[in-house]
Amino acid sequence: MRLFLNKPCLTIPIYNTIRSTFLNTNTTHPSPLNYLNFSFLRISSMATTPKPNEEGTAKRFWDKFSKESILTLYTPFVVSLASGNLKLDAFGRYIAQDVHFLKCFAQAYELAEDCADDDDAKVLIVELRKRVLEELKLHHSFVQEWDLDLSKETAPNPATLKYTNFLLATASGKVEGVKGPGELATPFEKTKVAAYTLGAMAPSMRLYAFLGKELRSLVDVNDDEHPYKKWIGKYSSEAYQFAMLQTEDLLDKLSVSLTGEELDTMQKLYHQALKLEMEFFLSQPVDQQTVLPLIKHHIPTEHGLMLFSDFDLTCTVVDSSAILAEIAIVTAPKSDQSQPESQIARMTSADLRNTWEGLSREYTEEYEQCTESMLANEKVEDFDYEGLKTALEQLSEFERRANMRVIESNVLKGLNVEDIKRAGERLILHDGCMPFFHIITNNQNLNVNVHVLSYCWCADLIRSAFSSGGIQTMHIHANEFVYENSLSTGEIIKKVESPIDKLQAFTDILKSGDKTNLTIYIGDSVGDLLCLLEADIGIVISSSSSLRRIASHFGVSFVPLFPALVKKQKEYVEGSAVSWKGLSGVLYTVSSWAEVHSFIIGS
């Protein structure tokens, strides 16, 4: 159930949006056809889009396109480099290609300097160009120090060419809506080209600074045994971070005079540059076995991959209980409206809202009491699965009582099934969730079975959400509404109400399948804990504080996924199988679906 406890819910402004959607109709008792837009479900942009001028242009672009940085981090080349077991020949090929990048950067800075109208901007561009030339010297030192043979890598590869051609075209003014290089008559037109050029360069510097910082946190740069500590030290250094910030600061200043349309053009250039950088890292051949992507180690003809996921807040931005409750409240009759005798009798919207708020308060209070009871015993050091399972049985009883109160309250009575399906079609999922499931379910060669295990009261909502994204082969295990003439009776066919129910469903599915399956479970809440731990790989995505608190109390460890992969790559023996084991007491944490995608499918 979970109601609104520690979860994103529908705020007052969003509720008002719902009301306006329904109250702008001319009918006394609106038909479901009047609810077509369901604009209230598109709330992710309301919640996450920064207000203008809250931060610099460069930082806004980076935050918006952070997915590409994660995909780059999870490339086989970067993971192997971080582990220290990247073969020297592979690093040499990378250096040879990066030299082409840096020469292109130096040329682009020179063109940007010619276009910049401000003297201070010119001085800074000259300084940034000097830093690129120093970086080239560093690359030459790599060649000498490791006696790299770059004779076969003199020509840029296709991925390198795509970026360098793109950057030089941008720096030459060959951008849609910009005059040709010889026609840039006014200072403003020239400054715009300089701004666009910086927009195509800034993401590269930010990406390298990001990679350097991430890798430095895993590597002791004072450790002489790591062969690539000098490279990591360079891009994690304060000097490089400072140069990156200087570039972004200059980009912000050059962007001040741009129109909204011109900023959109710059944003597209920024995003394109970041995607080309990702492709550059993906194009680097490693000539060795790597621990990722996971699907590479999966042989469909020999064994299957069983993928399980929670739904509410693991996939969705808003908990489904909040969605269903708000649909009920907004579509309920007002106190002065009569109800057709042929329809199921419903509470008024005011009574329904008061009832729902009372249920939410009661749920929150009892949940906190239940949690404290679960943590009453002393915290253990070693992983105690049986102790955790016993404690979660208390939570299971609590969830069942809470669901029964919801049923008896009649708050879910009278919802039209078409409204629910339409809401599901417009439900906002976390960025990257739908594309991941679309790829993994629509590739029959992968032999992947996908199951969603959810407390959601209405499986129709889940089915509609995924089918709207072209996903038809997903198995949904959730509760179901009971309908009469397409209207919910308020009753729920209870299938998955608690952590114990989820575990039972998980176990039953595994028993019915091939025993050689590799199992992955993705979840975010306490209700997912037992399944997360039973799976060969348990991935916790943006977890709740209560999950960490309860799990840690019973000796569960949380390890960020990327460092865990670097460690496995470091320990990996060529030709051996990568080992993943359930009930180890270790769960892997990620911040986004981009990490899940990169790990399982690849960038």
Side-chain angles (χ1 to χ4, degrees):
M1 178 178 174
R2 298 200 294 187
L3 295 177
F4 297 154
L5 182 66
N6 295 325
K7 304 295 179 186
C9 60
L10 299 181
T11 60
I12 290 174
I14 297 169
Y15 171 65
N16 289 337
T17 304
I18 306 173
R19 289 183 59 81
S20 66
T21 300
F22 290 87
L23 297 181
N24 285 338
T25 61
N26 294 320
T27 56
T28 304
H29 202 76
S31 155
L33 296 177
N34 291 318
Y35 314 153
L36 281 172
N37 65 353
F38 274 93
S39 59
F40 67 93
L41 293 176
R42 303 194 175 278
I43 67 169
S44 63
S45 59
M46 297 182 195
T48 61
T49 302
K51 296 177 182 178
N53 301 322
E54 250 185 18
E55 55 188 4
T57 300
K59 183 62 166 57
R60 287 206 309 274
F61 290 170
W62 173 258
D63 290 343
K64 183 169 185 175
F65 303 120
S66 59
K67 176 183 176 181
E68 276 72 23
S69 64
I70 297 298
L71 294 176
T72 304
L73 183 68
Y74 275 77
T75 54
F77 177 84
V78 174
V79 171
S80 298
L81 187 148
S83 72
N85 68 8
L86 178 71
K87 291 183 178 178
L88 202 55
D89 287 346
F91 186 72
R93 285 192 292 268
Y94 155 77
I95 289 296
Q97 293 301 315
D98 204 39
V99 165
H100 295 296
F101 259 82
L102 293 173
K103 288 179 178 178
C104 176
F105 254 60
Q107 189 177 347
Y109 273 132
E110 197 169 358
L111 292 169
E113 181 193 354
D114 291 339
C115 289
D117 181 53
D118 182 76
D119 288 340
D120 290 340
K122 285 180 178 290
V123 170
L124 185 52
I125 291 172
V126 170
E127 179 62 29
L128 290 169
R129 185 171 183 274
K130 287 180 180 177
R131 289 182 182 274
V132 171
L133 297 176
E134 290 173 4
E135 200 171 338
L136 272 169
K137 291 180 182 178
L138 177 67
H139 278 40
H140 290 311
S141 74
F142 288 149
V143 174
Q144 294 173 352
E145 183 178 341
W146 291 316
D147 194 25
L148 299 174
D149 180 13
L150 306 186
S151 59
K152 297 179 182 179
E153 300 294 330
T154 54
N157 68 25
T160 303
L161 272 177
K162 281 179 71 175
Y163 185 93
T164 54
N165 289 343
F166 159 77
L167 179 56
L168 291 178
T170 303
S172 300
K174 297 176 184 177
V175 178
E176 186 178 350
V178 176
K179 293 180 180 179
E183 302 174 14
L184 300 174
T186 68
F188 173 73
E189 289 172 339
K190 291 183 177 181
T191 299
K192 182 165 64 174
V193 173
Y196 285 166
T197 303
L198 267 293
M201 299 172 77
S204 177
M205 296 197 68
R206 168 67 77 163
L207 179 64
Y208 269 83
F210 166 76
L211 295 176
K213 187 177 179 181
E214 290 292 319
L215 270 55
R216 174 144 193 169
S217 67
L218 307 176
V219 174
D220 182 1
V221 292
N222 296 316
D223 180 5
D224 291 335
E225 293 184 4
H226 197 291
Y228 306 115
K229 66 181 187 301
K230 192 173 181 180
W231 186 94
I232 295 170
K234 164 66 181 177
Y235 293 111
S236 63
S237 68
E238 290 184 6
Y240 190 84
Q241 298 282 328
F242 180 71
M244 178 270 292
L245 293 173
Q246 278 187 310
T247 305
E248 292 191 343
D249 185 55
L250 179 58
L251 174 61
D252 293 343
K253 289 176 180 177
L254 293 174
S255 304
V256 170
S257 59
L258 299 185
T259 65
E261 186 177 347
E262 289 162 348
L263 284 171
D264 287 343
T265 297
M266 179 187 283
Q267 178 175 283
K268 290 176 184 176
L269 292 170
Y270 189 103
H271 191 201
Q272 178 68 4
L274 202 50
K275 288 191 289 186
L276 291 174
E277 275 284 9
M278 179 188 73
E279 290 176 16
F280 171 75
F281 278 98
L282 274 171
S283 73
Q284 304 306 314
V286 294
D287 297 335
Q288 65 192 81
Q289 289 185 306
T290 56
V291 297
L292 82 170
L294 185 69
I295 212 75
K296 188 175 67 176
H297 299 275
H298 171 60
I299 305 173
T301 56
E302 295 184 10
H303 52 76
L305 179 62
M306 197 77 80
L307 181 65
F308 297 85
S309 177
D310 176 44
F311 183 68
D312 285 323
L313 303 177
T314 295
C315 295
T316 66
V317 173
V318 177
D319 194 288
S320 64
S321 62
I323 296 293
L324 293 168
E326 292 295 346
I327 294 174
I329 291 167
V330 175
T331 60
K334 306 299 177 285
S335 57
D336 58 349
Q337 291 178 330
S338 59
Q339 300 183 49
E341 292 183 5
S342 59
Q343 289 188 3
I344 293 175
R346 301 180 65 186
M347 284 187 280
T348 65
S349 58
D351 288 343
L352 212 158
R353 175 164 287 282
N354 290 334
T355 302
W356 177 252
E357 289 175 351
L359 289 168
S360 297
R361 282 194 301 271
E362 192 171 3
Y363 181 92
T364 301
E365 291 169 2
E366 289 195 22
Y367 183 90
E368 291 173 353
Q369 293 171 6
C370 185
T371 299
E372 292 305 317
S373 175
M374 291 166 61
L375 302 176
N377 295 329
E378 187 175 348
K379 182 177 180 180
V380 301
E381 295 298 326
D382 298 324
F383 175 47
D384 181 9
Y385 179 79
E386 291 303 322
L388 174 61
K389 187 176 179 181
T390 300
L392 288 175
E393 288 173 354
Q394 298 179 47
L395 185 63
S396 296
E397 289 303 316
F398 156 74
E399 292 286 4
R400 293 189 184 98
R401 291 195 305 271
N403 276 345
M404 185 54 66
R405 285 197 295 267
V406 170
I407 293 170
E408 292 172 350
S409 72
N410 289 323
V411 293
L412 300 177
K413 191 175 182 180
L415 276 70
N416 191 298
V417 66
E418 293 305 317
D419 284 352
I420 293 169
K421 289 179 180 179
R422 198 171 292 111
E425 291 168 0
R426 289 153 178 78
L427 195 60
I428 297 296
L429 304 188
H430 286 298
D431 185 37
C433 177
M434 189 73 83
F436 168 76
F437 282 119
H438 190 273
I439 291 172
I440 209 159
T441 57
N442 284 281
N443 189 333
Q444 296 181 354
N445 295 327
L446 294 179
N447 189 24
V448 177
N449 285 309
V450 181
H451 296 263
V452 172
L453 306 184
S454 175
Y455 286 178
C456 179
W457 291 321
C458 183
D460 287 319
L461 190 75
I462 303 176
R463 283 189 283 266
S464 295
F466 286 114
S467 63
S468 68
I471 300 171
Q472 307 293 341
T473 57
M474 187 178 283
H475 305 282
I476 309 298
H477 310 266
N479 306 297
E480 303 275 3
F481 274 1
V482 176
Y483 298 100
E484 287 183 6
N485 299 321
S486 298
L487 297 178
S488 62
T489 64
E491 293 292 324
I492 298 173
I493 300 174
K494 293 173 282 188
K495 297 181 178 180
V496 184
E497 295 185 274
S498 68
I500 303 300
D501 289 345
K502 276 197 173 186
L503 178 62
Q504 187 62 55
F506 177 87
T507 304
D508 290 345
I509 293 165
L510 291 185
K511 286 180 180 178
S512 64
D514 190 335
K515 291 184 180 180
T516 61
N517 281 321
L518 177 70
T519 58
I520 304 170
Y521 190 99
I522 306 165
D524 77 304
S525 70
V526 174
D528 300 310
L529 259 177
L530 296 177
C531 294
L532 284 164
L533 290 163
E534 288 270 1
D536 295 314
I537 305 172
I539 300 176
V540 180
I541 184 166
S542 303
S543 64
S544 66
S545 57
S546 57
L547 178 144
R548 287 182 177 267
R549 186 183 174 204
I550 292 171
S552 299
H553 189 83
F554 291 91
V556 176
S557 301
F558 293 89
V559 179
L561 179 60
F562 181 72
L565 290 173
V566 171
K567 185 173 184 290
K568 281 188 175 289
Q569 183 66 42
K570 190 174 183 178
E571 297 168 348
Y572 185 64
V573 177
E574 197 81 17
S576 65
V578 181
S579 175
W580 300 95
K581 185 175 65 174
L583 290 176
S584 64
V586 176
L587 298 179
Y588 301 100
T589 61
V590 298
S591 60
S592 68
W593 278 94
E595 289 191 72
V596 176
H597 189 131
S598 302
F599 167 51
I600 298 176
I601 301 174
S603 301

